[in-house]
Amino acid sequence: MNAQQYRVAAVLSRVSPVSSPWAKMPSQAGPRWHRQPKHLLSVRTMPLDTQRLDKFLSQQLSLNQHDVRLLLARNLVQVDGQVVSQRALRINRFSRIEVEGTVLQANIPYYYMLNKPDGVVSATVDAQHPTALDLLTVPHKAELHIAGRLDLHSTGLLLFTNDSRWSEALAHPNNKIAKHYRVGVAKPLDEGYVQAFAEGMHFPFEDVVTQPAKLQIVSEYQADVWLKEGKYHQIKRMFGRFRNPVTALHRLSIGEIVLDAELAPGQSRALTQDEVNSVRRIG
């Protein structure tokens, strides 16, 4: 066996000593990840953005670039179930990465909607009030974060995910994703509200003018409002220009994701794949 064959044997035996036909050949001591259970390894957390496949393999397996190229050349690497050989392939934290049957990464993205009740904080931890996360009954809720918060006394659609790129896309101004609210107010409404919301309002504290918003009068004391931005207490402040206090604020939808009418306050469900795909990802 020449020097190159010996080097390949060492790399392969370190990657999968049980199944590799090279496993009985002399090899270097395997790195620490090698001592983990073969079906799922404990590896470093991938950055939220994408990175090159060869860099990921080098970091997770403690291999130099030459050894990584050998793995790829021998078709021992799979990404999302497909054999790959491209070193520069871009992967993300939810790409499933396997090397000769050994799973290096198998993170699963989760997406949920909750019908948030009044008096629940849009937070993961709070010392005074129950949190929206407390209402979820899924086993992996510690991984989740809230995508688009609601105030303590606001109700309706609240989204959770562990996919930061997805939640960033929800909030990204270029995506112009509209949020639909049903608003109750203390004083009667008239057409002047419709025009004022459509023209935008100047907020002196931030010295900005709000983007045009759509307001549709539902009844004398109720209106539907669609916003494509989310400034601090924006709806309450816009109605405040008319000295008309908001008495109820209920979110009905975010983009194409509509609050499930079957969910009672406090109940939740996973998003459908169509609902997940309706949010255009950044990049």
Side-chain angles (χ1 to χ4, degrees):
M1 183 171 60
N2 60 35
Q4 183 175 7
Q5 289 174 320
Y6 183 90
R7 187 176 186 85
V8 172
V11 172
L12 296 181
S13 64
R14 287 158 60 187
V15 172
S16 184
V18 175
S19 59
S20 173
W22 302 80
K24 294 183 180 179
M25 295 183 179
S27 65
Q28 303 172 17
R32 281 190 291 179
W33 67 266
H34 170 70
R35 305 187 191 110
Q36 300 292 332
K38 183 176 185 292
H39 70 286
L40 184 60
L41 302 176
S42 176
V43 295
R44 304 180 184 91
T45 301
M46 176 179 285
L48 296 177
D49 208 348
T50 62
Q51 68 169 302
R52 285 173 56 120
L53 175 61
D54 57 353
K55 181 179 179 181
F56 172 83
L57 293 173
S58 177
Q59 291 175 342
Q60 304 306 323
L61 304 181
S62 300
L63 298 177
N64 59 41
Q65 285 297 314
H66 177 79
D67 290 346
V68 169
R69 286 195 294 270
L70 292 177
L71 288 178
L72 293 167
R74 292 189 63 83
N75 295 325
L76 296 175
V77 180
Q78 290 189 7
V79 176
D80 294 330
Q82 301 295 318
V83 174
V84 297
S85 58
Q86 305 96 322
R87 296 168 52 204
L89 179 70
R90 305 299 297 189
I91 60 174
N92 60 56
R93 63 175 297 191
F94 298 115
S95 301
R96 181 182 177 89
I97 314 296
E98 299 178 61
V99 177
E100 205 178 18
T102 298
V103 179
L104 300 186
Q105 175 177 274
N107 298 320
I108 300 173
Y110 300 109
Y111 311 90
Y112 297 96
M113 70 164 63
L114 169 76
N115 186 355
K116 177 189 172 300
D118 187 4
V120 171
V121 178
S122 295
T124 55
V125 179
D126 189 88
Q128 295 182 326
H129 303 280
T131 71
L133 197 63
D134 292 334
L135 300 178
L136 295 183
T137 57
V138 296
H140 41 262
K141 66 181 182 180
E143 302 177 33
L144 304 176
H145 62 268
I146 297 171
R149 298 173 182 273
L150 287 170
D151 296 337
L152 176 65
H153 296 295
S154 298
T155 60
L157 179 63
L158 199 61
L159 299 177
F160 298 82
T161 184
N162 62 343
D163 185 349
S164 291
R165 287 175 59 83
W166 189 83
S167 55
E168 287 170 4
L170 275 176
H172 200 283
N174 290 346
N175 288 344
K176 301 185 186 306
I177 295 177
K179 298 178 179 65
H180 177 196
Y181 300 86
R182 175 67 52 85
V183 186
V185 291
K187 300 177 182 178
L189 299 165
D190 58 45
E191 290 299 319
Y193 288 80
V194 178
Q195 181 177 350
F197 274 62
E199 291 175 349
M201 298 181 185
H202 178 250
F203 286 174
F205 182 77
E206 298 97 331
D207 193 24
V208 296
V209 177
T210 64
Q211 294 181 19
K214 179 182 176 181
L215 183 144
Q216 180 177 308
I217 297 175
V218 176
S219 66
E220 189 175 11
Y221 295 96
Q222 276 192 332
D224 281 352
V225 175
W226 288 264
L227 297 180
K228 292 185 178 180
E229 58 184 344
K231 301 191 185 304
Y232 180 70
H233 287 171
Q234 181 171 344
I235 290 180
K236 293 178 181 179
R237 294 166 70 187
M238 293 179 81
F239 280 100
R241 291 295 177 86
F242 293 86
R243 288 179 168 74
N244 195 349
V246 170
T247 58
L249 184 61
H250 183 76
R251 185 155 63 196
L252 294 168
S253 67
I254 300 176
E256 297 178 26
I257 304 174
V258 179
L259 178 63
D260 193 329
E262 298 297 319
L263 294 179
Q267 291 185 334
S268 61
R269 70 159 172 84
L271 296 190
T272 66
Q273 195 58 53
D274 285 344
E275 288 169 335
V276 173
N277 293 342
S278 70
V279 179
R280 179 160 53 90
R281 294 179 181 276
I282 302 171

